[in-house]
Structures are given as C-alpha cells and as structure tokens.
Amino acid sequence: KKKNNFDKMVNFSIEQLRAIMDEPDNIRNMSVIAHVDHGKSTLTDSLVARAGIIATAKAGDQRLTDTRQDEQDRCITIKSTSISLYCEINQADLDKLAELETAAKAKKSKKKKSKKTEEKKE
C-alpha cells in the first residue's frame, strides 16, 4: 500500500496548536450545509478520517459531530458542531489557492462596482 500524508495521525502539543492557530493565513473556514439526509455527517466523518482522527472504515457511521444523545438516538444532526483539522499543503497548491482567492476577490469587487454604477443610473 502506498503511504501518503493521510496515513498517520498528527499529534501536536498545546503550544504548537496555539502557534498554528495564531497565523490567520493558516486557517480556512468552511460550513457543510445541505438538506436533511444529504450526507453532511458522512462528508464530515470522511474529512475527519482523512485527517487520521477516526478509522476510514468508520467514516459515515461514526457521526462524530452528532454530540447530543438525541442526535445519536435519532441519527440526525440537530445542533451545529465545530471541528478543527490540520492539513499540510504543498507550495504549488498554496499558490493555486492564492490565485483562486485573488480571482474571487476581484470578481466580488467588480460586481460591487457594477452594482454601484447601476444604482447611480437610477
């Protein structure tokens, strides 16, 4: 079996975690939003499994973010749950991400300017 970065769990000290979290450029926030029974917990379990926190075989069945007893009993997510995952990204992927972020900001700025121009015409 080929080894990759996802085959081992990363263990950090509290000081190391604090240092990572103190760098805003190291943080990416995301939300998983979908209709009932559309795989939000399964997706989250899969991401957690890829980070090495739970076994890949348990992803989807673990329902790691369903922390309340009624959620576990009914197999539905009721309350949102936050988690933090660590991922190492190579420089080429970081460069591509920076390009995408820059393009998204430029598009948003252009859209905002266009909207202001339309409002002035009215």
Side-chain angles (χ1 to χ4, degrees), residues 112-122:
K112 192 181 282 187
K113 285 180 185 177
S114 175
K115 187 175 181 179
K116 284 183 180 180
T117 304
E118 287 178 25
E119 288 173 354
K120 285 181 182 178
K121 288 180 182 178
E122 294 174 356

Side-chain angles (χ1 to χ4, degrees), residues 93-107:
D93 288 340
L94 281 175
D95 293 343
K96 183 65 175 171
L97 180 60
E99 287 176 32
L100 292 170
E101 287 178 333
T102 301
K105 287 177 184 176
K107 185 176 181 180

Side-chain angles (χ1 to χ4, degrees), residues 75-109:
C75 293
I76 60 169
T77 303
I78 298 169
K79 290 275 199 165
S80 64
T81 303
S82 298
I83 59 172
S84 296
L85 301 175
Y86 176 80
C87 179
E88 288 184 6
I89 303 173
N90 65 41
Q91 191 60 48
D93 288 340
L94 281 175
D95 293 343
K96 183 65 175 171
L97 180 60
E99 287 176 32
L100 292 170
E101 287 178 333
T102 301
K105 287 177 184 176
K107 185 176 181 180
K108 186 176 182 181
S109 176

Side-chain angles (χ1 to χ4, degrees), residues 3-122:
K3 284 275 188 187
N4 61 43
N5 289 341
F6 302 111
D7 289 336
K8 63 182 188 293
M9 185 167 169
V10 182
N11 291 306
F12 293 106
S13 68
I14 298 297
E15 293 79 24
Q16 289 171 312
L17 283 173
R18 190 73 253 157
I20 291 169
M21 291 169 39
D22 284 342
E23 293 294 326
D25 289 341
N26 291 343
I27 298 171
R28 297 291 181 269
N29 297 310
M30 63 171 273
S31 294
V32 180
I33 301 170
H35 289 281
V36 175
D37 289 333
H38 278 73
K40 298 176 295 291
S41 295
T42 302
L43 172 62
T44 304
D45 278 2
S46 296
L47 292 170
V48 171
R50 289 285 277 175
I53 297 170
I54 63 172
T56 304
K58 291 190 172 195
D61 294 328
Q62 184 79 27
R63 303 185 64 88
L64 187 72
T65 55
D66 290 347
T67 56
R68 295 169 29 150
Q69 188 61 49
D70 57 343
E71 292 175 316
Q72 294 168 13
D73 293 344
R74 297 169 63 190
C75 293
I76 60 169
T77 303
I78 298 169
K79 290 275 199 165
S80 64
T81 303
S82 298
I83 59 172
S84 296
L85 301 175
Y86 176 80
C87 179
E88 288 184 6
I89 303 173
N90 65 41
Q91 191 60 48
D93 288 340
L94 281 175
D95 293 343
K96 183 65 175 171
L97 180 60
E99 287 176 32
L100 292 170
E101 287 178 333
T102 301
K105 287 177 184 176
K107 185 176 181 180
K108 186 176 182 181
S109 176
K110 186 177 179 181
K111 195 174 192 179
K112 192 181 282 187
K113 285 180 185 177
S114 175
K115 187 175 181 179
K116 284 183 180 180
T117 304
E118 287 178 25
E119 288 173 354
K120 285 181 182 178
K121 288 180 182 178
E122 294 174 356

